[in-house]
Amino acid sequence: MSLTLLLKLLPLMILQHRLKANHHRQAIQIIKEYGVIPAVKCYLGQLNQVFMNILANAIDALEDANNKLSFAEIKSNHPNIITITTKMAEDQQNVMIKIKDNGKGMTEEIKTCIFDHLFTTKSVGQGTGLGLSISQKIVVENHGGSLICESALGHGTEFVISIPVLAD
Ligand SMILES: Nc1ncnc2c1ncn2[C@@H]1O[C@H](COP(=O)(O)OP(=O)(O)OP(=O)(O)O)[C@@H](O)[C@H]1O
Ligand SMILES: [Mg+2]
């Protein structure tokens, strides 16, 4: 299976039930902007885990942002959007997968800790603080890639996964 196919199927699989509208918020819309990327050598099962972690975090961040608004406010001006983009990096050496949400975002202070083992801002039972530290290990140590986060409080967050395209 290719990375693109994995990303196409992924949101339809395990997380689908979390995207639906409920009493507290509108449905979460997934925008897919998939560019043409070459086949890369990777551990698909591991990268699947990375995508799942990042998408689950994005959904949590959207839910937190929605909890601060009234339903009227949410309906009028806060669509919940997760954008997944795949493309070749400009250097043509890396495949990039970007996962962006317009959720609550994070402070600079939190941003410096997110990859730490067991760091979480979620309550007990909601989060263990393992998702991003494991994801970083998978991307960096197991794939020689990079995992970068950009975030602005109140505006949203973007994770950029880069995986090198290795010549055979
Ligand atoms: N998209 C995001 N928007 C806002 N904050 C985020 C986002 N992704 C991660 N974070 C912050 O980074 C922290 C660490 O994330 P991580 O996935 O490692 O752990 P967790 O989600 O708290 O728990 P776990 O993934 O183990 O269930 C989160 O608790 C949250 O504060
Ligand atoms: Mg998580």
Side-chain angles (χ1 to χ4, degrees):
M1 198 197 285
S2 72
L3 261 184
T4 309
L5 185 58
L6 178 67
L7 280 161
K8 269 191 188 137
L9 297 174
L10 187 76
L12 299 170
M13 299 182 331
I14 299 134
L15 294 167
Q16 190 60 257
H17 70 285
R18 291 202 62 195
L19 302 177
K20 289 180 188 153
N22 60 35
H23 293 308
H24 307 289
R25 59 160 175 81
Q26 288 184 292
I28 296 172
Q29 200 187 331
I30 304 252
I31 298 176
K32 299 167 192 167
E33 296 176 343
Y34 294 156
V36 178
I37 53 171
V40 277
K41 272 193 179 167
C42 62
Y43 303 104
L44 274 179
Q46 292 187 9
L47 288 185
N48 184 36
Q49 200 184 335
V50 172
F51 302 146
M52 291 290 299
N53 281 332
I54 293 175
L55 285 168
N57 284 345
I59 294 168
D60 289 343
L62 285 165
E63 294 199 322
D64 276 3
N66 282 196
N67 286 341
K68 294 201 177 75
L69 303 170
S70 71
F71 196 74
E73 278 176 310
I74 292 165
K75 259 195 135 166
S76 60
N77 56 26
H78 198 282
N80 298 310
I81 301 173
I82 297 175
T83 309
I84 308 173
T85 309
T86 63
K87 62 175 191 177
M88 271 307 270
E90 263 160 42
D91 62 11
Q92 302 294 313
Q93 309 286 314
N94 291 275
V95 163
M96 291 167 80
I97 302 117
K98 301 185 185 194
I99 300 176
K100 184 177 170 185
D101 68 71
N102 64 341
K104 67 173 180 172
M106 56 184 104
T107 62
E108 281 300 311
E109 200 185 354
I110 289 177
K111 211 178 102 178
T112 59
C113 306
I114 56 170
F115 296 112
D116 293 352
H117 182 69
L118 296 178
F119 174 82
T120 184
T121 57
K122 296 169 192 173
S123 47
V124 177
Q126 295 283 340
T128 55
L130 289 172
L132 287 177
S133 71
I134 291 171
S135 298
Q136 196 187 41
K137 280 206 184 80
I138 289 174
V139 173
V140 177
E141 291 172 21
N142 301 359
H143 291 85
S146 65
L147 177 58
I148 288 166
C149 171
E150 276 176 42
S151 185
L153 193 61
H155 292 281
T157 300
E158 180 174 57
F159 282 89
V160 182
I161 303 157
S162 296
I163 304 286
V165 184
L166 300 172
D168 278 319

